[in-house]
Amino acid sequence: MDLLKPLKLNPRGGLTVVSNRGPYTFRKTARGIQATPSVSGLVSAIQPVIEQIHGRWVAWGGRYGTEEETLGRSLTLQKTDKWLFHEVMLTEPETAGYYEGMCNGCLWPLCHNFIEKSVFDEEMWGSYRRVNRKFAEVVLQTTGPGDMIWVQDFHLALLPGYICRQRPGARVSVFWHIPFPPPEIFTVLPWAKEIIKGLLNCEFIGFHTEGYVRNFLLSVREIYGVAIDFARGLIFGPERIVRVGAVPIGIDCREFENLAAQPGVIRKAAGIRSSIGGDYVIISVDRLDYTKGIPERLQALEYLLESRPEYKGKLTFVQIAVPSRTDVAAYRRLRRQIEEIVGRINGKYTKNFHVPIRYLFKPLSREDLAAHYLAADMAVVTPLKDGLNLVAKEYVAVKSGGGGVLILSPFAGAAVQLTEALTANPYNLREMANQIVAGIELDVTEKKRRMLALARSVREEDINWWWQKIQQNWLIDSETVGEPPPDSSIGGMLTRGAVL
Ligand code: GDG
């Protein structure tokens, strides 16, 4: 745990990142404000960028206050001299409606195509709007007219509109970290038009894949009927010309390569292997979320052990599940379901005290995580739907020397880039089991060829590449792009050319 100091000086920075949760969750104690690091893909991706550019970060720190305490107020904190943190405070009922309700109970499932799990409730929507306005107040107070405001994810889709209403022409961009669903799903949302309207105040909107870009543009056309240049990813919106593009997030590849070379991490990896004792080690690392396909993967393993008894006692599956959204009933139910399946499989397939599944329900340190990746012969990353998935890239970075096999779901955005992975449909238990066996039996040369090709792509399209692409797309002056093509209203082909 780190102790953060309130900051007195408030120098203006060029770039401000705004996200629902920041890199820390705060708690007030007698000794001051205590900060616990947050675990999420968004934090993993943004932290290296903000550290590099010495920017600011505006986010909710997980603390509650009264309406009076939270209104338009933020606490400025500084972790190191690298960046400033402005904490947005929310009230408890607001959080229930906005975060647990609208974000986790409506938009998250909807964007992952789980329409039946989405709850549509006017009060939740009211909280979402109110919280977006609160974030806008803090952003407007802590930034100047020339500052670039980079909004992260679906929690804050109305923010660009609220900011531009107060500061017309503000430099705002959104990066959408999760999938954008097809228009037939998105338009079910009673407030789809308001969400799109807010987003159309951006200069640039980034998604992980061209598929999400296409879904977004089609939704905008259906809901708004504005002119769209599909080939160049341009929306001729009511407020401004909005550029839209696919820029998949990269990882800080060097960080993971360095971790994998650290003697302490290598020692830990060796320790994990010797404590496991099995011949072959498979790893999965996920936030405990129904989109990640954990029960389905465990069932595939059960099928494998049943149908290929020769693997009993020779294969250990390590599932690291990071606690997530533990206040939400559906997530607590999922945890119970997973623990029940793990218990059943271990009860049935333990042989000579060799336990097939090692299950951890806790976050690990970065070093421990790297050691687990390093110790594993294979990573199985099989979400039912995932915006991108950073774990797949991190495993590849740690194994960039050539060992290791990656099994990847085609429904993870990362599958578009990581084309040399073995793929497995998470809804098809047999296919998953067969691909795990295929991975175990893969010829050494072919295994190495695939992993080296994967490592090349993860290294080439790393976090720096991502940030460069975001800047190139954002900084372009969209007002110089000219008129939309005459066929724009019926759409053209989307090409990779939409991204610079
Ligand atoms: C969202 C989108 C998109 C995991 N366990 C530990 C730990 N982690 C870190 C991993 C990785 C991150 O958490 C998880 O990132 P993912 O991308 O896999 O998933 P989400 O959290 O759902 O992220 C996703 C991402 O945003 C970025 O746009 O890829 O599709 O859903 O970095 O390393 N970190 C530590 N201990 C753990 O035990 N320290």
Side-chain angles (χ1 to χ4, degrees), residues 289-309:
D289 193 292
Y290 55 85
T291 59
K292 303 290 183 182
I294 303 171
E296 291 77 3
R297 189 185 301 147
L298 293 171
Q299 280 153 8
L301 186 78
E302 188 173 23
Y303 173 78
L304 192 162
L305 292 171
E306 190 58 42
S307 57
R308 301 288 296 262

Side-chain angles (χ1 to χ4, degrees), residues 41 44 177 208 287 292 322 363-364 369 386-390 394:
S44 304
H177 290 257
H208 286 304
R287 265 187 320 96
K292 303 290 183 182
V322 183
L364 305 178
L369 184 65
D386 211 338
L388 184 91
N389 195 289
L390 294 176
E394 292 166 0

Side-chain angles (χ1 to χ4, degrees), residues 338-350:
I338 290 168
E339 291 177 355
E340 194 262 321
I341 302 175
V342 170
R344 186 179 73 223
I345 297 175
N346 280 346
K348 201 165 165 194
Y349 297 103
T350 294

Side-chain angles (χ1 to χ4, degrees), residues 211-256:
Y212 307 153
V213 170
R214 187 175 54 240
N215 288 343
F216 178 71
L217 293 179
L218 289 169
S219 297
V220 173
R221 190 179 64 185
E222 189 157 332
I223 292 168
Y224 245 77
V226 288
I228 293 173
D229 184 334
F230 280 79
R232 289 188 294 166
L234 294 171
I235 302 170
F236 293 79
E239 309 300 336
R240 63 194 340 168
I241 296 171
V242 184
R243 184 173 286 276
V244 184
V247 193
I249 282 191
I251 60 161
D252 187 347
C253 200
R254 205 167 307 152
E255 183 208 349
F256 279 94

Side-chain angles (χ1 to χ4, degrees), residues 45 94 121 241 244 271 301 315 318 330 332 341 354 378 429 444 453:
E94 249 168 16
D121 178 291
I241 296 171
V244 184
L301 186 78
L315 197 150
V318 181
R332 287 198 297 269
I341 302 175
H354 171 272
M378 176 188 286
L429 303 188
V444 180

Side-chain angles (χ1 to χ4, degrees), residues 60 79 105 163 202 239 283 296 310 351 390-391 450 474:
W60 174 47
K79 168 78 168 71
I163 291 172
C202 289
E239 309 300 336
I283 194 168
E296 291 77 3
E310 68 271 26
K351 189 178 168 188
L390 294 176
V391 167
R450 281 177 181 266
W474 190 354

Side-chain angles (χ1 to χ4, degrees), residues 18-22 42 58-61 90 98-99 135 152 155-156:
V18 195
S19 60
N20 170 57
R21 297 306 291 267
L42 187 148
V58 175
W60 174 47
L90 302 175
Y98 148 79
Y99 184 56
F135 269 83
Q152 306 299 317
H155 309 86
L156 299 169

